[in-house]
């Protein structure tokens, strides 16, 4: 609090506290229901811990010991001795699959997938028909992702399925047999085919094109192996969960909510974000589907799970997030999404009715001091409906505030209701925070996403300006104190903001953002090019075609860099393989040649975003100072000065 006794604002939360690793995260139940695994700090990094179902963290044992980079994704196996996790090197995304021995948790982890640089693991899943084995998808051949069967105990690796078409994905049933194939056609449609026991391939149907910029998701074989679950718009504007029959190709709606899309955001980080479809771990049966709404909507699909979900709903006023159960379906671990309370995890026993709070990710964070996230909507200048979220700082009148426009990455992603460290940090510093799902964002219908074709630095940017104009017209924002901040595509949007509309923003932050669209596409990992037909090539252009490259350069901030006069902060991971360091180096160099002040942070041990806590602290301390200097928000230095002068602004 400041020295003013009438000040109702919550105390500033220290940056080191705000951006520390969570004390507990990503929980899951062991298949036999006797243990819990989760992520918690150990040796200065997020590591995997395991404890008994009735034990506490004091009894838990760290089973991984990484000191270089935090772990995010791990997997139980069907053998109670082994646990698997994914790790890269300093953010380079060359993921390897490691095995840890739960009987000897102090032993060094074993790399089951020694790969050459540039190759990576992109998936690992159980193979119920072969106990002790996992199926791992990786590109030992740099341009092709093949499926291998790995014996977890011995590490013996056998080629299970070779895939020679880089645009195709072969989908397996629970016995590991190929049953479906999806492939991009030359015109960008997705062709779904059945694979018969003889190996013959039968075309079933073609789906979409540009309305599926991240391809068809989910692609999930049903438990009986006779159907394929996909997201499909069919003949409408809403993305539905549809089953395609293996024999007939007939599509049947499994789940649909009028006016809402199936939520695909969990596909970006499986096992960490809530999935589009919840399934039973052992049987693979569909339990529920997730849809985009002001607050995420859970559509229950299994009558037995409906009873369990009803009990889970009593535990939190949030929305069901991730879900884990034992093989019997008796014991459950559920996390809940909430706008003010991050990472609440409950245990529930469906047989006894026992329910207890397992942990909160940040137990020292008081939800009452966090800022509510309000769904908002308004039309774009061409009439396209836009949806977003407004988060207002607690304890101040919501009038004429400094505002930060936070732009999500992707751009084929969407902001949703839930806890955001970025948003809560900015609100705690006194800023109104506006997020808008501009055209091209997923989750708001076919018309909304395809309206972005050819509109980079065009109507996509206009949507952001229209959102700011709405906040000003509603009286929330001071038009002279507007900032823009974003990562990846959001960083590109921030650079577009200060080049296309150089007078609209008083400060900007570009975090691992694109400055040159043509160079960005040329420097993506080679294996990604086969998957770019319906996204970058369709929406932006192909730099190999001269006239398209010229258009891309016209929409690139590097070409308009002479327009920049807004105070700018740029942050970049040195090992970023998506948006390479040159994207930031080049625009910073051009600004410094002109004598334009620009602050530049480079983390040598990070990739596409800062993950290690000390780097996040460095970044957000710079953001705090940058916005406080140019927008006038709160900072420890400013409040100390006010206190020292008896409440008067010095």
């Amino acid at each position: 609090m400041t020295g003013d006794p009438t000040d109702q604002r919550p105390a500033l939360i220290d940056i080191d506290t705000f951006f520390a690793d969570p004390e507990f995260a990503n929980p899951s139940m062991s298949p036999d229901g006797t243990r819990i695994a989760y992520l918690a700090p150990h040796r200065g990094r997020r590591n995997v811990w395991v404890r008994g179902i009735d034990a506490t963290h004091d009894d838990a044992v760290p089973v991984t010991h990484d000191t270089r980079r935090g772990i995010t994704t791990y997997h139980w196996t069907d053998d109670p001795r082994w646990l698997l996790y994914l790790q890269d090197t300093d953010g380079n995304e060359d993921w390897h699959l490691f095995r840890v021995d739960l009987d000897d948790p102090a032993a060094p982890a074993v790399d089951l997938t020694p790969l050459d640089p540039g190759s990576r693991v992109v998936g690992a899943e159980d193979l119920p028909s072969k106990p002790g084995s996992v199926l791992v998808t990786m590109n030992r051949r740099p341009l092709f992702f093949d499926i291998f069967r790995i014996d977890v105990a011995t590490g013996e690796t056998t080629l299970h399925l070779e895939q020679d078409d880089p645009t195709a994905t072969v989908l397996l049933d629970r016995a590991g047999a190929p049953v479906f194939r999806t492939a991009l056609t030359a015109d960008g449609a997705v062709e779904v085919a059945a694979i018969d026991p003889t190996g013959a391939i039968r075309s079933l149907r073609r789906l979409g094109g540009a309305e599926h910029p991240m391809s068809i998701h989910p692609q999930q074989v049903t438990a009986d192996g006779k159907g394929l679950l996909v997201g499909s718009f069919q003949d409408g504007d809403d993305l539905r969960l549809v089953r395609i029959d293996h024999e007939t190709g007939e599509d049947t709606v499994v789940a649909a909510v009028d006016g809402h899309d199936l939520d695909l955001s969990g596909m970006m980080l499986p096992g960490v974000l809530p999935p589009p479809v919840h399934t039973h771990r052992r049987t693979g049966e569909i339990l529920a589907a997730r849809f985009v709404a002001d607050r995420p909507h859970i559509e229950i699909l299994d009558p037995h799970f409906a009873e369990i979900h009803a009990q889970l709903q009593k535990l939190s006023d949030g929305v069901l997030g991730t879900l884990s159960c034992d093989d019997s379906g008796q014991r459950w671990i559920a996390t809940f999404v909430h706008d003010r309370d991050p990472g609440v995890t409950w245990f529930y026993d469906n047989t006894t009715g026992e329910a207890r709070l397992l942990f909160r990710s940040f137990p020292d964070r008081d939800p009452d001091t966090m800022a509510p996230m309000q769904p908002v909507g308004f039309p774009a200048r061409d009439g396209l409906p836009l949806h977003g979220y407004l988060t207002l700082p607690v304890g101040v009148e919501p009038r004429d505030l400094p505002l930060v426009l936070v732009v999500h990455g992707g751009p084929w992603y969407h902001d949703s209701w839930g806890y955001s460290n970025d948003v809560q940090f900015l609100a705690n510093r006194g800023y109104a925070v506006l997020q808008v799902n501009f055209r091209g964002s997923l989750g708001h219908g076919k018309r909304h996403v395809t309206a972005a074709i050819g509109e980079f630095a065009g109507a996509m940017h206009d949507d952001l300006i229209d959102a700011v104009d709405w906040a000003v017209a509603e009286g929330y924002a001071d038009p002279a104190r507007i900032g823009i901040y974003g990562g990846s595509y959001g960083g590109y949007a921030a650079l577009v903001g200060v080049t296309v509309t150089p007078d609209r923003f008083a400060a900007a932050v570009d975090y691992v953002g694109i400055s040159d669209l043509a160079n960005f596409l040329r420097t993506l990992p080679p294996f990604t090019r086969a998957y770019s037909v319906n996204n970058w090539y369709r929406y932006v252009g192909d730099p190999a075609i001269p006239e398209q490259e010229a258009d891309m350069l016209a929409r690139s901030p590097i070409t308009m860099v002479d327009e920049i006069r807004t105070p700018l902060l740029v942050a970049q991971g040195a090992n970023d393989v998506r948006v390479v360091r040159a994207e930031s180096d080049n625009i910073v160099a051009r600004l410094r040649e002109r004598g334009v002040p620009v602050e530049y942070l480079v983390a040598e041990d990070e990739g596409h975003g800062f993950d290690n806590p000390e780097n996040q602290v460095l970044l957000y301390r710079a953001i705090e100072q940058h916005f406080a200097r140019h927008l006038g928000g709160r900072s420890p230095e400013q409040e100390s000065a006010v206190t020292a002068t008896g409440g008067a602004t010095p």
Side-chain angles (χ1 to χ4, degrees):
M1 300 289 287
T2 70
D4 181 356
T6 65
D7 193 337
Q8 300 301 306
R9 297 177 298 177
L12 290 176
I13 299 175
D14 181 71
I15 288 179
D16 294 83
T17 301
F18 228 126
F19 293 98
D21 273 336
E23 292 192 22
F24 307 95
N26 297 17
S28 67
M29 180 82 69
S30 65
D32 63 6
T34 64
R35 292 174 294 178
I36 301 168
Y38 53 92
L39 303 178
H42 170 56
R43 302 177 72 182
R45 292 290 183 261
R46 285 188 319 274
N47 275 283
V48 183
W49 295 64
V50 173
R51 76 192 203 203
I53 192 70
D54 296 317
T56 68
H57 187 59
D58 291 339
D59 305 310
V61 176
V63 300
T64 65
H65 310 280
D66 207 308
T67 58
R68 190 163 177 168
R69 191 166 185 80
I71 293 168
T72 298
T73 304
Y74 69 90
H75 308 269
W76 289 99
T77 72
D78 58 9
D79 187 324
R81 180 175 177 179
W82 310 115
L83 186 141
L84 308 175
Y85 71 93
L86 291 173
Q87 186 60 290
D88 69 347
T89 301
D90 293 340
N92 67 1
E93 300 191 48
D94 286 351
W95 301 103
H96 290 226
L97 185 69
F98 291 86
R99 183 196 73 199
V100 295
D101 186 347
L102 300 185
D103 288 349
D104 185 10
V110 175
D111 186 353
L112 295 177
T113 55
L115 297 166
D116 293 331
S119 295
R120 63 184 62 175
V121 172
V122 297
E125 56 186 303
D126 292 336
L127 181 58
S129 63
K130 296 282 186 182
S133 297
V134 290
L135 291 178
V136 177
T137 302
M138 54 184 167
N139 61 330
R140 279 182 165 178
R141 301 181 298 156
L143 294 179
F144 302 94
F145 282 90
D146 301 316
I147 302 175
F148 296 85
R149 186 174 72 252
I150 298 179
D151 184 288
V152 175
T154 66
E156 181 182 358
T157 301
T158 306
L159 179 65
H160 185 78
L161 182 71
E162 191 169 77
Q163 302 191 87
D164 287 329
D165 181 349
T167 72
T169 300
V170 173
L171 300 147
L172 312 177
D173 65 14
R174 293 176 63 79
V179 286
F180 286 96
R181 179 182 185 272
T182 62
L184 274 172
T185 62
D187 62 0
V190 176
E191 184 173 46
V192 180
I195 302 176
D196 292 329
T198 62
I201 297 176
R202 292 182 290 108
S203 180
L204 297 176
R205 59 176 51 244
R206 289 161 63 95
L207 296 174
E211 64 265 37
H212 294 283
M214 304 307 290
S215 193
I216 302 295
H217 288 298
Q219 296 183 18
Q220 185 171 324
V221 178
T222 56
D224 61 7
K226 297 178 180 179
L228 180 66
L229 298 177
V230 299
S232 174
F233 291 102
Q234 295 182 306
D235 295 325
D237 195 56
D238 303 333
L239 188 67
R240 304 165 173 176
L241 181 64
V242 170
R243 177 189 182 275
I244 298 176
D245 187 80
H246 186 275
E247 292 303 315
T248 67
E250 180 183 0
D251 62 341
T252 305
V253 175
V254 176
V257 179
D258 287 345
H260 298 278
D261 279 5
L262 187 68
D263 187 348
L264 302 180
S265 55
M267 303 299 298
M268 311 301 176
L269 200 55
V272 178
L273 298 177
V277 182
H278 290 285
T279 55
H280 191 289
R281 169 194 246 147
R282 180 178 58 81
T283 68
E285 295 294 339
I286 306 166
L287 304 178
R290 190 178 191 86
F291 286 82
V292 176
D294 287 348
R295 285 171 45 127
H297 170 78
I298 309 298
E299 188 76 0
I300 305 302
L301 302 173
D302 178 83
H304 177 62
F305 181 69
E307 301 171 7
I308 295 169
H309 184 252
Q311 298 303 313
L312 294 175
Q313 281 187 300
K314 298 176 182 178
L315 305 178
S316 171
D317 61 351
V319 178
L320 181 67
T322 60
L323 194 64
S324 174
C325 68
D326 61 7
D327 282 349
S328 71
Q330 172 187 339
R331 292 174 164 178
W332 299 78
I333 292 177
T335 67
F336 291 89
V337 175
H338 197 285
D339 62 337
R340 292 176 294 115
D341 197 357
V344 180
T345 300
W346 283 81
F347 167 82
Y348 172 68
D349 189 312
N350 190 51
T351 300
T352 65
E354 176 194 1
R356 65 178 186 271
L357 180 67
L358 284 178
F359 43 73
R360 295 177 60 230
S361 292
F362 296 93
D364 59 348
R365 198 149 305 171
D366 181 359
D368 291 337
T369 66
M370 298 292 105
M373 195 177 190
Q374 306 172 24
V376 295
F378 38 83
R381 64 189 66 182
D382 64 355
L384 184 74
L386 300 177
H387 302 273
Y389 295 91
L390 177 68
T391 303
L392 298 170
V394 175
V396 297
E397 183 183 1
R399 302 289 299 176
D400 297 320
L401 296 168
L403 179 142
V404 178
L405 177 68
V406 176
V407 187
H408 69 69
W412 301 286
Y413 190 66
H414 65 89
D415 286 315
S416 59
W417 185 86
Y419 188 88
S420 164
N421 257 353
D422 284 1
V423 171
Q424 292 297 337
F425 167 68
L426 291 168
N428 182 256
R429 266 45 182 176
Y431 303 102
V433 182
L434 181 61
Q435 300 164 276
V436 58
N437 285 313
F438 49 87
R439 70 193 63 207
S441 304
L442 301 181
H444 295 280
K446 178 166 62 176
R447 175 190 171 208
H448 188 276
V449 67
T450 56
I453 295 173
E455 294 298 341
F456 273 54
M460 294 169 77
H461 177 61
D462 291 343
D463 290 348
L464 301 179
I465 298 301
D466 293 346
V468 169
D469 288 344
W470 170 85
V472 170
E474 292 292 315
Y476 295 115
D478 177 352
R481 295 190 294 162
I482 306 291
I484 184 170
Y485 158 56
S488 195
Y489 173 85
Y492 165 81
L495 293 175
V496 169
V498 298
T499 51
V500 173
T501 49
D503 299 320
R504 293 308 301 268
F505 298 101
V509 177
D510 157 29
Y511 179 29
V512 297
I514 302 163
S515 65
D516 181 336
L517 289 165
N519 184 68
F520 160 71
L521 275 176
R522 287 194 180 100
T523 54
L524 285 173
F527 65 79
T528 66
R529 292 169 191 162
Y531 304 100
S532 297
V533 173
N534 277 339
N535 43 68
W536 293 103
Y537 293 157
R538 184 72 172 268
Y539 280 72
V540 185
D542 183 345
I545 301 173
E547 58 269 27
Q548 293 185 20
E549 180 189 28
D551 182 67
M552 295 168 76
L553 289 173
R555 299 172 186 272
S556 295
I558 195 70
T559 309
M560 302 175 277
V561 68
D562 289 347
E563 298 296 323
I564 296 179
R565 47 185 177 268
T566 305
L568 178 64
L569 167 65
V570 177
Q572 178 70 42
N575 305 310
D576 195 336
V577 294
R578 303 191 194 195
V579 179
V580 297
R581 179 173 175 169
E583 291 296 306
S584 294
D585 283 352
N586 291 343
I587 203 156
V588 168
R590 291 281 297 276
L591 288 170
R592 288 177 174 169
E593 286 170 7
R594 288 175 48 219
V596 176
V598 56
E599 185 175 1
Y600 188 25
L601 302 177
V602 178
E604 298 294 338
D605 57 346
E606 298 284 8
H608 195 56
F610 294 5
D611 187 70
N612 292 328
E614 64 272 17
N615 292 325
Q616 292 200 44
V617 168
L618 179 71
L619 171 65
Y620 288 99
R621 185 167 287 125
I623 290 174
E624 174 188 64
Q625 295 169 355
H626 184 69
F627 282 147
R629 187 180 308 121
H630 300 292
L631 303 182
R634 302 171 73 193
S635 69
E637 294 79 9
Q638 172 253 345
E639 298 211 345
S640 296
V642 170
T643 301
T645 57
T649 303

